[in-house]
Amino acid sequence: MAEKKDLGTPIGTTLDRFIKSKQDEFKYATGELSQLLRDIALAGKIVNKEVISAGLSGLNGQVGEVNVQGENQQKLDVVAHIRFTRALTNGRMTAAVVSEEEEKIIHINEDNHYIVAIDPLDGSSNIDVNVSVGTIFSIYRRKSPTGTKVTKSDILQKGSAQVAAGYILYGSSTMFVYTTGFGVNGFTLDLSLGEFILSHPEMKFPKEVAYYSINESLLEDSEPYISKFVMSCRKQGLSARYIGSLVADFHRNMLKGGIYLYPKTSDKPNGKLRLLYECYALAFIAEQANGVATDGVNRILDIDPKEFHQRTEFYVGSKSLMEELNRFN
Ligand code: AHM
Ligand code: MG
């Protein structure tokens, strides 16, 4: 008789079941974090519905308000923010949320353990033109005791303190990708079942590299080593791919091998992307998938955050390209 092989977690596993099966890996295994991940996935399904029908339901376009970042809010930015904060409130596991769309801490319930930092809909300027967008989230245990008001230092924790992080990619299919520090797993939404199903177990950056991703209009105005590195990428035969949706650019590079760069420029002296709810999550996922993430000098996960909406330069991707970038710097 043929030897029975360990085939691992079978593809076909639902996200709910998978999360539950992994619950014991987590040191505070009470089921609360699992529930919180499921709450985020549920809101993601609702947002997915809104994203795919935005053109029909009048949800395209701007609200006419400028958010805390000084950027024009899209209608779907606001809708997604409401969907996620409502799901986190109803799910009863979250103490407080920090969102790209709100200047201050959103206090939910001080009896709960978890802090969520979220960009409810990243890349939302792409919605009107039917291009992929995403949700990015980081989850922390609060440092202060439950039953007390969540403090600034509960929110301003280093990325290395994340207990889980993930993203939802609303692309040609919708995917939920997350880590709790034990590898990265990806789930594709089966619309007929309304379930995220495990489709990409144990995701890793491949050894080969294929792409570099940068908004090339920034090159003239960024540090010379960035242009030199880009020239070297071209010489190696890498292709340029830039969607302008961080989740989509990151996801492609993780699957195919590549690097994403968002440097500082004269009008963006700290870069564009936000440390707390964009870069920390993707840096955690990248490292779990054998990738590397830095601000050009420091490991992203080691940066001590000072403000909720702090920006940073961001470089993330395959190890070999990140090492090469480092040599150019
Ligand atoms: P947003 O949070 O306002 O949507 O901005 C973040 C987005 C990222 O998704 C994307 O990588 C980047 O901004 C694109 O910026 P640019 O248009 O300057 O290339
Ligand atoms: Mg964003």
Side-chain angles (χ1 to χ4, degrees):
M1 206 168 91
E3 194 188 330
K4 207 171 161 195
K5 288 205 180 105
D6 175 12
L7 297 175
T9 313
I11 290 181
T13 304
T14 65
L15 175 64
D16 278 8
R17 192 172 168 174
F18 185 87
I19 290 173
K20 202 153 191 304
S21 74
K22 298 287 174 187
Q23 192 169 299
D24 293 340
E25 285 178 352
F26 185 56
K27 71 174 171 181
Y28 310 97
T30 58
E32 290 173 55
L33 178 66
S34 301
Q35 182 56 47
L36 178 45
L37 287 165
R38 293 199 293 260
D39 296 338
I40 293 174
L42 174 63
K45 288 184 209 171
I46 296 167
V47 169
N48 179 60
K49 249 174 63 181
E50 319 257 23
V51 167
I52 58 179
S53 60
L56 296 171
S57 55
L59 281 178
N60 275 343
Q62 299 180 357
V63 185
E65 301 281 325
V66 169
N67 71 7
V68 55
Q69 323 290 331
E71 288 156 359
N72 282 312
Q73 271 183 317
Q74 306 290 318
K75 289 181 194 166
L76 269 182
D77 280 328
V78 177
V79 170
H81 170 80
I82 293 170
R83 298 290 177 255
F84 281 101
T85 44
R86 197 173 285 167
L88 293 171
T89 307
N90 293 342
R92 302 199 189 140
M93 300 302 152
T94 309
V97 176
V98 61
S99 162
E100 177 172 337
E101 304 305 328
E102 284 257 350
E103 186 175 357
K104 298 201 170 121
I105 303 178
I106 304 163
H107 291 275
I108 294 195
N109 185 337
E110 61 190 32
D111 291 332
N112 296 335
H113 287 114
Y114 291 99
I115 307 291
V116 177
I118 191 161
D119 182 350
L121 205 59
D122 183 67
S124 52
S125 63
N126 276 323
I127 296 165
D128 291 3
V129 290
N130 229 334
V131 172
S132 302
V133 287
T135 296
I136 310 173
F137 62 90
S138 289
I139 303 176
Y140 296 85
R141 295 273 297 187
R142 61 185 295 178
K143 294 200 285 191
S144 60
T146 53
T148 61
K149 198 169 177 196
V150 166
T151 62
K152 218 173 157 187
S153 65
D154 287 323
I155 309 274
L156 293 178
Q157 298 190 50
K158 283 186 186 177
S160 53
Q162 290 171 98
V163 294
Y167 60 78
I168 304 167
L169 171 57
Y170 312 98
S172 49
S173 63
T174 300
M175 283 195 68
F176 184 101
V177 174
Y178 84 103
T179 183
T180 55
F182 297 90
V184 181
N185 289 284
F187 301 78
T188 301
L189 183 60
D190 182 321
L191 286 169
S192 62
L193 300 173
E195 296 268 17
F196 283 106
I197 310 280
L198 181 64
S199 52
H200 295 62
E202 292 164 35
M203 298 170 85
K204 299 271 181 233
F205 282 86
K207 282 234 157 51
E208 309 68 47
V209 290
Y211 300 119
Y212 70 94
S213 311
I214 183 169
N215 179 342
E216 298 210 12
S217 70
L218 305 177
L219 281 181
E220 307 281 279
D221 196 19
S222 56
E223 291 178 275
Y225 85 92
I226 302 287
S227 297
K228 288 183 190 145
F229 173 73
V230 166
M231 284 306 295
S232 159
C233 289
R234 290 178 191 158
K235 280 194 193 125
Q236 291 170 50
L238 299 192
S239 285
R241 290 282 189 284
Y242 189 72
I243 297 168
S245 258
L246 178 59
V247 172
D249 280 312
F250 175 87
H251 184 76
R252 181 202 52 247
N253 291 346
M254 182 164 67
L255 291 181
K256 301 291 182 191
I259 186 168
Y260 174 94
L261 308 100
Y262 208 111
K264 65 178 176 192
T265 56
S266 54
D267 64 330
K268 296 186 185 84
N270 299 314
K272 174 180 184 187
L273 299 171
R274 272 54 54 113
L275 185 61
L276 254 69
Y277 40 78
E278 291 175 334
C279 303
Y280 276 156
L282 298 185
F284 189 18
I285 293 168
E287 288 195 6
Q288 287 294 314
N290 290 348
V292 175
T294 74
D295 67 354
V297 180
N298 309 294
R299 177 182 177 230
I300 288 287
L301 297 181
D302 286 339
I303 297 174
D304 219 345
K306 303 282 180 257
E307 292 166 29
F308 299 159
H309 301 285
Q310 184 169 332
R311 294 176 193 264
T312 178
E313 293 181 66
F314 192 45
Y315 307 96
V316 63
S318 300
K319 203 170 176 184
S320 60
L321 288 173
M322 286 295 295
E323 282 169 358
E324 190 182 338
L325 176 69
N326 209 16
R327 285 197 292 276
F328 276 85
N329 189 359

